[in-house]
Amino acid sequence: MGEEKLVNNYDIVYIGDSSNSNDDHSNSDPTIYFRNISLSYFAAEPFEMLTKHNRFKELCLENDNPEAHYIEDILQYFVHKEKRKGLYHLRQASIGEYTNGTYLYGLLLLALEHYPKGKKYLDKLQWKENLSTSDYCWKRVKKTLSTISAIMETRYYTAMVNLEPRTECHPDNMAEVCKHCYYSKRLTQFVLFAMNQD
């Protein structure tokens, strides 16, 4: 039960008998580790995964980490302009119950004029009962997309105009929504944001 001392960066680390330790790593499964590790820093800074941490991202993707799929969508869809690959990864993020992925997937489907499917994904966030999840997702998605320029496409504007509600409910209040205007207002938020990124 002897102990060795390692000195690294002036910190003393004891290596030796760990019989008192509660850390049992004998059954550690890397699949579970890479699937569940939080990538929130990288979700806010997706370019870090494109350059410095690409191999780490690949390991997370291989193990179906939903945040890694979200980051890969951002890189594929907005940076590499590979729309199909991006949407695939965004759908995987949503399947993995990553709410930001679900929100952005719903928005992009609306922006691509796939209205019924986009509404279905936004409805998964249960906005009719409580807007807080949807609002929080928008803030995080906006933070991620703010690191990328030129995300606007003309067809997003067309989709926004085509989705405008036929009723005049809550026309001047973006925070107040109902089943008639929620989708239109969320797409409008996205389009206005995208227009300002260019």
Side-chain angles (χ1 to χ4, degrees):
M1 292 202 196
E3 294 181 346
E4 299 174 27
K5 288 185 182 179
L6 289 179
V7 178
N8 186 2
N9 296 331
Y10 303 104
D11 293 329
I12 297 176
V13 179
Y14 291 97
I15 300 176
D17 185 12
S18 62
S19 59
N20 295 341
S21 173
N22 291 328
D23 297 331
D24 179 13
H25 300 290
S26 60
N27 291 327
S28 295
D29 183 356
T31 302
I32 292 171
Y33 173 79
F34 286 111
R35 182 182 306 133
N36 296 319
I37 191 166
S38 173
L39 302 175
S40 58
Y41 168 77
F42 298 108
E45 300 288 338
F47 284 108
E48 293 288 318
M49 283 246 159
L50 182 63
T51 55
K52 297 179 191 171
H53 305 285
N54 192 47
R55 179 64 187 135
F56 178 59
K57 178 191 71 172
E58 293 301 322
L59 287 169
C60 292
L61 283 171
E62 287 171 18
N63 291 286
D64 274 332
N65 182 305
E67 271 182 298
H69 282 292
Y70 174 76
I71 294 163
E72 186 66 6
D73 159 69
I74 299 297
L75 297 173
Q76 291 295 331
Y77 193 94
F78 295 107
V79 177
H80 300 302
K81 306 298 185 195
E82 294 283 341
K83 307 296 186 201
R84 288 185 137 190
K85 287 181 183 177
L87 289 173
Y88 165 79
H89 285 286
L90 204 48
R91 184 168 182 268
Q92 295 305 112
S94 181
I95 289 169
E97 298 181 357
Y98 185 60
T99 56
N100 292 350
T102 301
Y103 186 81
L104 184 56
Y105 191 49
L107 277 182
L108 288 177
L109 289 171
L110 292 178
L112 298 170
E113 296 189 80
H114 299 291
Y115 300 128
K117 198 170 182 182
K119 290 176 180 182
K120 177 183 137 188
Y121 276 88
L122 288 174
D123 287 349
K124 289 181 179 188
L125 300 173
Q126 300 176 346
W127 65 269
K128 292 174 187 171
E129 288 81 32
N130 186 347
L131 277 174
S132 64
T133 301
S134 185
D135 290 341
Y136 189 62
C137 287
W138 170 239
K139 287 177 186 171
R140 293 187 304 196
V141 165
K142 189 167 55 170
K143 181 176 174 143
T144 300
L145 294 179
S146 69
T147 64
I148 300 166
S149 60
I151 63 173
M152 182 60 187
E153 294 186 17
T154 306
R155 63 184 175 175
Y156 298 167
Y157 185 83
T158 303
M160 178 187 76
V161 171
N162 290 338
L163 190 59
E164 286 180 356
R166 306 211 189 289
T167 61
E168 286 295 320
C169 56
H170 320 105
D172 299 322
N173 186 350
M174 286 296 280
E176 194 170 339
V177 295
C178 68
K179 66 181 181 178
H180 302 292
C181 64
Y182 171 79
Y183 309 103
S184 174
K185 286 184 177 182
R186 291 302 165 142
L187 182 56
T188 300
Q189 265 183 333
F190 173 70
V191 170
L192 293 176
F193 173 80
M195 289 170 65
N196 289 325
Q197 286 297 102
D198 291 339

